[in-house]
Amino acid sequence: MLAYLNDLFKDLQKSYSQSEALSRLENLLGQLPYSELVKIDAAGEPRVAEIPSARDRIAFNKDRLRINFLDGLHRRAESPGIPAGRYSPQVSHIISKLSQGVSEQALSRILGQCDVDLSPVIEALRNLELIEEVDPSAQIVSQSLLEGKKDRLTWLGHACILFQTSRSSVCVDPFLRPHIKWTEKDLQSSFSDTFGDRFFFEPYGPQLTQLSPAQLPPLDAVFVTHQDIDHCNLGVLMMLPENVPIIVPDCHPDHSWEVDLLTVIRNVLGRRRKVIRLKHGETITIGDIRATAFPFVAEMPSSLTTFWNCYLFETNDSAVACTADSAITDESVDLLIRRLRGKRTPLVLCARLVHSGRTSPGFRDEPESLFNFTRLWAWYMPIWDLFQPVEEPGISESRFRTLARSTNLRFYLPYAMGSAPWYRIGDVKDPLHVPMANLSALELHDLSDKLNAISKGPALFPGKFAQPLSLADS
């Protein structure tokens, strides 16, 4: 970028005065992605240079790692944090133990084994009321998530689902927000009959109960579809037991627009974490659950393919397809049909909305912006690709009907669209704020009408938030 801009300035000087060349350069700079990372110095040499913090903003710098603690009960203006740096794996180890409950004696032993004295950190967390003393005999996991002998599926908000059998439990894309004490301002923006999630919660209102990672049942594995923080959240992964395998997409070094999740998780959370890459078409068996990865498309311009994953989970009694923010293509439908054709196994499709099938006229993360200044894709794509048609997330009506005819598609779970009140905190200065779209009641009714129009087609997923739905009887 620097070389391009400085060469451009030299070319401009051939046709314009120095002041005019600088003016034209400044006008052009405002149209480029990540222009905030450079500055123009009219008297400097070179004329365009990086700002002091540029490399920290675009590169992984382990020394600058900081672990923040979202606190929804006290609602501070800023989240308290620990400048963990290269000691983040040791801090992560302690946080994981604290999240699951640890005795004072065991905590002292862990602190004594650290390469750095973290006792002041623990004391500071106590003072902030982020560490609580609890009765170890008290059960914090809901009984409904612990009991059950048949296959069952639970929606836990956004794109997080829990799939359980009599032997195994797997969680996909855990993104659990902290318990929140609602403000009067929140109540005006976070709860409304116009939001689709009013049908997903019982009760629906400020009294509804959230979940923390510690309130999940024992997990046999966690699956991550892609690198976005609302699907791969290091803070949530940090709080899970360290012996839980984390399955992530494959990664190739020539795909610079993708994050190597295995390396990041191990660097930040420590090498105790068992991270497994799963390539497209590969299957891993977790207990009695067979998980197969298949391609994830549509969250990058068409010229930038990714190794991100959708997942098909199968048992002898049920199947669940988790597609997160992906478009469900002909290839995806063909894979699901090949695996499930002729079987009585009920299938649950977890996806964005059903749409007409028209491709968009170009790629946009944000409709009003040519470039997205929070993703790396703008550095790697040819400019013409901004205007190439791309698949819309979710599934087209024609593909949906094909899938319904060829499999025992029983339920459709519209998800990965926020769809929980704690994703609607409106104040951008609030540490709990997450800019996220939400499913509206109108969109949910429209989806219901489309499902009802299909003869012997699937029904809307009838499960409520954090309440398992049995699939074996479907």
Side-chain angles (χ1 to χ4, degrees):
M1 183 178 186
L2 290 174
Y4 165 73
L5 290 170
N6 282 301
D7 287 345
L8 178 62
F9 179 68
K10 292 177 181 177
D11 289 339
L12 289 171
Q13 282 185 303
K14 296 176 182 177
S15 303
Y16 303 101
S17 67
Q18 179 167 307
S19 60
E20 178 65 16
L22 282 171
S23 176
R24 289 176 176 266
L25 183 65
E26 288 174 349
N27 289 336
L28 176 65
L29 185 61
Q31 304 174 42
L32 295 180
Y34 307 105
S35 59
E36 72 274 15
L37 299 179
V38 301
K39 61 180 180 180
I40 297 176
D41 184 352
E45 187 58 43
R47 296 301 171 94
V48 184
E50 65 188 68
I51 64 173
S53 62
R55 294 181 185 271
D56 289 335
R57 294 177 60 180
I58 63 175
F60 179 75
N61 187 333
K62 197 168 184 178
D63 291 326
R64 295 178 64 88
L65 280 173
R66 178 181 176 87
I67 297 174
N68 288 337
F69 295 86
L70 297 182
D71 186 357
L73 297 180
H74 298 93
R75 301 295 292 271
R76 300 174 174 89
E78 294 183 2
S79 295
I82 301 172
R86 293 184 177 273
Y87 296 105
S88 70
Q90 297 186 49
V91 177
S92 172
H93 177 56
I94 293 173
I95 297 301
S96 175
K97 295 295 185 182
L98 287 170
S99 299
Q100 306 307 310
V102 62
S103 67
E104 290 277 5
Q105 183 180 10
L107 180 59
S108 297
R109 185 171 60 252
I110 294 171
L111 292 173
Q113 295 170 347
C114 293
D115 297 332
V116 62
D117 183 11
L118 293 176
S119 299
V121 170
I122 300 301
E123 189 60 31
L125 294 178
R126 286 185 192 274
N127 294 336
L128 290 168
E129 300 181 62
L130 293 174
I131 296 179
E132 301 175 331
E133 291 191 12
V134 298
D135 179 359
S137 65
Q139 180 176 301
I140 64 172
V141 180
S142 167
Q143 187 63 33
S144 64
L145 296 177
L146 292 173
E147 61 188 17
K149 298 298 183 183
K150 298 180 179 180
D151 293 5
R152 52 210 185 275
L153 184 68
T154 309
W155 176 68
L156 299 178
H158 194 47
C160 180
I161 67 103
L162 177 67
F163 183 41
Q164 297 172 284
T165 69
S166 60
R167 293 174 46 199
S168 311
S169 296
V170 299
C171 188
V172 186
D173 287 351
F175 183 50
L176 304 173
R177 305 297 287 167
H179 291 275
I180 294 173
K181 182 177 180 180
W182 300 103
T183 67
E184 289 299 322
K185 185 178 180 181
D186 294 333
L187 298 181
Q188 297 174 15
S189 61
S190 298
F191 298 92
S192 169
D193 285 347
T194 64
F195 296 126
D197 49 84
R198 71 182 176 92
F199 300 102
F200 300 152
F201 287 87
E202 289 182 355
Y204 178 72
Q207 71 274 27
L208 61 81
T209 302
Q210 299 164 246
L211 287 182
S212 71
Q215 292 173 293
L216 293 176
L219 298 175
D220 296 291
V222 168
F223 287 79
V224 173
T225 58
H226 64 301
Q227 64 202 36
D228 290 353
I229 62 169
D230 54 334
H231 299 264
C232 179
N233 190 277
L234 292 176
V236 174
L237 296 178
M238 178 183 293
M239 297 177 70
L240 298 176
E242 292 178 310
N243 62 346
V244 176
I246 303 172
I247 290 83
V248 301
D250 193 21
C251 184
H252 288 198
D254 58 342
H255 278 209
S256 303
W257 50 92
E258 291 187 70
V259 175
D260 184 348
L261 293 180
L262 181 147
T263 300
V264 168
I265 291 172
R266 286 183 174 171
N267 279 341
V268 176
L269 305 187
R271 297 195 172 273
R272 290 185 179 90
R273 304 283 175 164
K274 183 180 180 181
V275 189
I276 301 170
R277 288 191 178 120
L278 196 65
K279 298 179 181 179
H280 297 161
E282 289 186 340
T283 298
I284 187 172
T285 300
I286 307 294
D288 56 348
I289 299 174
R290 302 178 299 279
T292 302
F294 61 98
F296 179 124
V297 298
E299 279 226 314
M300 288 280 183
S302 57
S303 63
L304 302 181
T305 58
T306 72
F307 295 100
W308 299 352
N309 286 341
C310 299
Y311 296 104
L312 171 63
F313 300 97
E314 296 176 88
T315 72
N316 294 334
D317 299 314
S318 67
V320 177
C322 295
T323 61
D325 299 322
S326 176
I328 301 174
T329 63
D330 289 335
E331 292 74 18
S332 304
V333 171
D334 290 343
L335 179 142
L336 295 175
I337 292 174
R338 282 199 310 271
R339 298 294 291 255
L340 301 172
R341 186 195 295 273
K343 298 181 180 179
R344 295 179 59 84
T345 303
L347 168 65
V348 182
L349 179 62
C350 308
R352 299 283 284 269
L353 296 174
V354 177
H355 55 79
S356 66
R358 291 192 298 269
T359 55
S360 69
F363 184 83
R364 296 288 189 280
D365 274 316
E366 301 164 343
E368 69 278 4
S369 302
L370 190 62
F371 296 104
N372 184 310
F373 289 85
T374 61
R375 295 195 193 221
L376 294 177
W377 59 259
W379 282 358
Y380 299 101
M381 63 170 290
I383 192 67
W384 54 261
D385 198 45
L386 280 173
F387 310 101
Q388 296 299 308
V390 293
E391 293 271 2
E392 185 176 341
I395 186 169
S396 69
E397 289 192 45
S398 62
R399 289 169 181 160
F400 185 70
R401 290 176 181 272
T402 299
L403 185 62
R405 286 195 304 267
S406 305
T407 68
N408 185 18
L409 180 57
R410 295 303 306 123
F411 296 117
Y412 191 100
L413 172 58
Y415 85 147
M417 302 179 70
S419 302
W422 39 87
Y423 299 128
R424 281 194 291 273
I425 293 176
D427 186 357
V428 296
K429 296 181 180 179
D430 192 315
L432 300 181
H433 171 73
V434 180
M436 187 177 290
N438 284 271
L439 179 68
S440 71
L442 183 62
E443 289 171 320
L444 191 63
H445 282 302
D446 181 59
L447 175 60
S448 180
D449 290 342
K450 290 177 180 177
L451 299 183
N452 291 335
I454 300 176
S455 176
K456 298 181 181 180
L460 269 179
F461 183 75
K464 304 295 185 180
F465 174 81
Q467 297 181 20
L469 177 74
S470 177
L471 304 180
D473 298 329
S474 302

